[in-house]
Amino acid sequence: MAVRTRSTDPAEHWWRTAVIYQVYVRSFADANGDGVGDLAGVRAKLPYLAGLGVDALWFNPWYASPMADAGYDVADYRRIDPAFGDLSEAEALIEEAHALGLRIIVDIVPNHVSDRHAWFQEALTSGPGSAARELFWFRPGRGADGELPPNDWKSEFGGPAWTRVPNPDGTPGSWYLHLFAAEQPDLNWNNAKVREELESVLRFWFDRGVDGVRIDSATMPAKDPALPSFGPDFTQSAPPKPHPFVDRDDVHEIYRAWRLVADSYPEPKALIGEVWLADPERFAAYLRPDEMHAAFNFDYLNCPWDAGRLRTVVDETLAAHAPVGAPATWVLSNHDVTRHVTRYGRADTSMGRSPQLHDAPADLALGTRRARAALLLNLALPGSCYLYQGEEFGLWEVSDIPAEARQDPFFFRSGGADPGRDGCRVPLPWAGQAPPFGFSPIGATGAPWLPQPAAWATQTAEALDGQPNSILRLYRTALSLRRQLPDLRGGAEFGWTETAADELLDFHRGDGFRCLVNLSAHPIRLPEGAELLLASAEMSESGRDLPPDTTVWLRA
Ligand code: NOJ
């Protein structure tokens, strides 16, 4: 079903300015009471999401999966995981969301599949030399008996990137590559069958009305087929160039082919990449006109709460995107990083995720104040914005999840040294005074799959709905205003105001809109004669000063 009027003007394509809300299904809403969120839970909350004022929903992988990495280990792309529902429910969800004006983005994982995927199971039973093994990276081990992994690559989650399998007769056999968990064997993109299959998966979901895909670990699918070790001179973080598996030139062929698929629909589908790259030019290469439409801005996510650094990252972002004509994106939280209320409440606000900072004290009141200011900043910058579920409730990172409840492979593969990402994945609090806070229905048989803090009684949708100045109300008001203001909604020109004080971000969009963010520790005088449209915090009594850690939208 088509959503709004189709536009043939590329400047008006929805993904260029959309606000996209990330739904982590497991933790969004549990309709059947087993303690795990599901599609029925999401469907029941679609009116809430439409009312919040977002334009699109991005779903983390909802496919059949043993959940070794929370669904990023896909066993079958054409089935919904039974814990979440089934295909007909996904189809109903897409249709209902469209009817409410919400677009749908699904997550596609090209780098790897689950070790339970039919292809990998066949590769195991077919044995060395088989065509089934050619779809993956099987190699004999080094050492006299092949007892050492084929090279020195490390898994992103810790430990070696190789696991040895027995031969079909039970004797120790070859090793397979997994850049993530052992349950996530890497696909061999030099094999035409892999390319065809993933393109067919795209069509499968596009044909069901999905409006775009988020591309997981998008820089990693292409490998140097020689699979060279880094050796003594290099490491994975200080690698040779070209890198044997990150951002290789031939990875772009994949996305050029995907773009043809996306463009083959009457209303083109959006490709949105998870592209973690420090080099702005290499990053922008993924956004060339025949590749992806947008990519997550992790430089912005990792930027400390500091005016100078933010100004630089905004300038660098816009400069990197301009030559390829792609829209910038603004994102502060997702399912992989520490919630930004916590980050912004720490002394060191610089890192999206840092195991070293896990126990650092966080002033949550300060973090919340800054998160509110950051929301108005993000929504005023040119491009599209990504929101992670629960940020509209001001949720903070849950840092005290007991070891026995943790589920993230980062935790297990580091022997517990890295607490992992569970703290940002705790089920949402919707209502009531105690867990499960309306996440699961009354009479649920299962507790929420990760424990919710009792202190979230103040952060439920219900509690926040009742307070005029709550963060949830701010999200609603800001999103609705952004839709109404042509300078924000469209591609109105962006520019800094020259006279800005050092610790002030001061910019305009078009002729009519101005945004100021005070990142200093003292109030800053507002410009004369401007009309206040929205403030992220209470203003000074005179209304003439902008308090610290506060953003205002002004009509210039
Ligand atoms: C990036 C995803 O966002 C993350 O959650 C996942 O663990 C890895 N890719 C591997 O798929």
Side-chain angles (χ1 to χ4, degrees):
M1 180 193 291
V3 186
R4 295 187 187 102
T5 335
R6 270 181 198 150
S7 168
T8 45
D9 178 357
E12 284 176 24
H13 281 146
W14 64 272
W15 56 77
R16 300 190 67 88
T17 56
V19 177
I20 300 171
Y21 182 102
Q22 180 186 353
V23 180
Y24 194 76
V25 180
R26 253 184 123 60
S27 299
F28 188 73
D30 163 28
N32 68 1
D34 61 359
V36 175
D38 44 42
L39 298 191
V42 179
R43 286 172 68 190
K45 298 257 186 248
L46 286 174
Y48 161 81
L49 291 166
L52 187 62
V54 298
D55 302 300
L57 308 177
W58 151 33
F59 288 87
N60 289 98
W62 55 16
Y63 320 105
S65 165
M67 303 287 167
D69 182 21
Y72 283 95
D73 46 325
V74 179
D76 185 345
Y77 261 118
R78 295 175 181 83
R79 270 197 314 128
I80 297 292
D81 193 84
F84 297 154
D86 61 23
L87 187 58
S88 63
E89 276 185 285
E91 289 169 340
L93 189 160
I94 295 167
E95 197 172 326
E96 290 159 5
H98 282 173
L100 290 167
L102 297 164
R103 315 253 180 184
I104 299 287
I105 295 165
V106 296
D107 216 313
I108 298 287
V109 190
N111 183 67
H112 43 269
V113 289
S114 161
D115 60 347
R116 301 296 168 81
H117 190 286
W119 278 2
F120 194 72
Q121 289 297 310
E122 195 191 337
L124 290 183
T125 50
S126 307
S130 63
R133 288 211 172 180
E134 284 304 309
L135 304 179
F136 300 91
W137 294 102
F138 280 89
R139 289 290 183 276
R142 292 173 298 169
D145 298 310
E147 73 284 7
L148 297 171
N151 70 22
D152 61 3
W153 298 0
K154 298 276 174 286
S155 150
E156 298 291 312
F157 293 144
W162 295 91
T163 291
R164 195 173 195 187
V165 295
N167 289 316
D169 68 3
T171 55
S174 22
W175 300 67
Y176 68 89
L177 175 68
H178 52 85
L179 292 178
F180 291 91
E183 295 87 348
Q184 294 166 295
D186 278 49
L187 289 167
N188 173 5
W189 275 85
N190 294 333
N191 193 294
K193 199 170 161 187
V194 169
R195 291 171 187 258
E196 281 155 24
E197 168 63 0
L198 267 287
E199 284 172 32
S200 150
V201 165
L202 289 181
R203 283 196 203 90
F204 179 87
W205 287 102
F206 289 159
D207 290 346
R208 276 164 183 74
V210 156
D211 304 285
V213 292
R214 177 262 189 193
I215 307 168
D216 184 69
S217 304
T219 62
M220 296 166 89
K223 315 278 185 309
D224 179 344
L227 306 179
S229 275
F230 290 100
D233 298 335
F234 299 103
T235 62
Q236 217 148 302
S237 44
K241 282 187 183 158
H243 194 290
F245 59 81
V246 176
D247 186 36
R248 295 180 63 76
D249 287 342
D250 49 342
V251 80
H252 293 281
E253 286 165 25
I254 301 174
Y255 307 121
R256 282 193 201 108
W258 287 21
R259 181 62 178 256
L260 295 177
V261 177
D263 285 349
S264 70
Y265 286 80
E267 188 186 47
K269 309 293 185 179
L271 306 177
I272 300 156
E274 189 203 16
V275 180
W276 290 90
L277 286 179
D279 179 332
E281 268 176 44
R282 300 289 307 184
F283 173 89
Y286 289 77
L287 303 175
R288 288 176 287 195
D290 60 347
E291 295 193 41
M292 300 176 190
H293 299 88
F296 297 96
N297 188 347
F298 294 118
D299 288 342
Y300 186 71
L301 187 151
N302 280 320
C303 184
W305 186 247
D306 172 274
R309 301 281 293 275
L310 280 166
R311 201 177 292 123
T312 303
V313 91
V314 169
D315 283 340
E316 285 176 354
T317 298
L318 298 178
H321 287 70
V324 288
T329 68
W330 311 103
V331 53
L332 289 176
S333 275
N334 65 33
H335 64 294
D336 289 331
V337 300
T338 303
R339 282 192 178 273
H340 63 274
V341 160
T342 298
R343 286 179 1 232
Y344 284 165
R346 288 173 176 160
D348 177 349
T349 55
S350 68
M351 292 298 294
R353 199 181 87 83
S354 159
Q356 289 72 36
L357 290 179
H358 181 256
D359 296 319
D363 175 342
L364 297 179
L366 178 66
T368 305
R369 187 177 176 93
R370 290 175 171 173
R372 294 173 61 117
L375 172 72
L376 297 201
L377 167 62
N378 296 350
L379 293 178
L381 289 168
S384 77
C385 275
Y386 287 80
L387 309 178
Y388 177 49
Q389 67 177 39
E391 65 171 77
E392 77 273 33
F393 302 162
L395 297 187
W396 55 84
E397 184 80 1
V398 183
S399 52
D400 59 352
I401 298 175
E404 59 279 11
R406 290 204 176 263
Q407 311 237 351
D408 187 8
F410 264 116
F411 178 72
F412 299 112
R413 291 186 65 94
S414 68
D418 182 336
R421 303 161 293 179
D422 292 315
C424 65
R425 300 175 174 181
V426 173
L428 294 190
W430 291 99
Q433 293 302 311
F437 292 119
F439 169 70
S440 300
I442 294 166
T445 50
W449 69 280
L450 285 172
Q452 299 163 305
W456 276 4
T458 55
Q459 308 307 123
T460 65
E462 181 185 56
L464 299 169
D465 244 340
Q467 302 160 27
N469 296 324
S470 72
I471 187 163
L472 177 57
R473 294 275 198 105
L474 178 70
Y475 269 74
R476 280 210 195 97
T477 308
L479 288 165
S480 141
L481 202 50
R482 186 179 185 271
R483 278 191 175 175
Q484 291 161 36
L485 294 170
D487 287 332
L488 289 192
R489 189 61 207 181
E493 174 237 341
F494 165 94
W496 298 109
T497 303
E498 289 299 333
T499 54
D502 269 1
E503 289 169 283
L504 177 73
L505 297 180
D506 184 350
F507 60 90
H508 66 266
R509 297 289 312 281
D511 292 333
F513 178 89
R514 192 158 165 194
C515 176
L516 279 80
V517 192
N518 180 359
L519 288 105
S520 77
H522 46 80
I524 294 180
R525 185 49 55 103
L526 283 173
E528 298 289 331
E531 180 197 344
L532 178 67
L533 295 169
L534 187 62
S536 66
E538 213 173 307
M539 298 295 285
S540 65
E541 238 169 65
S542 69
R544 296 182 61 200
D545 290 324
L546 179 62
D549 293 315
T550 304
T551 300
V552 282
W553 288 359
L554 305 176
R555 198 190 301 277

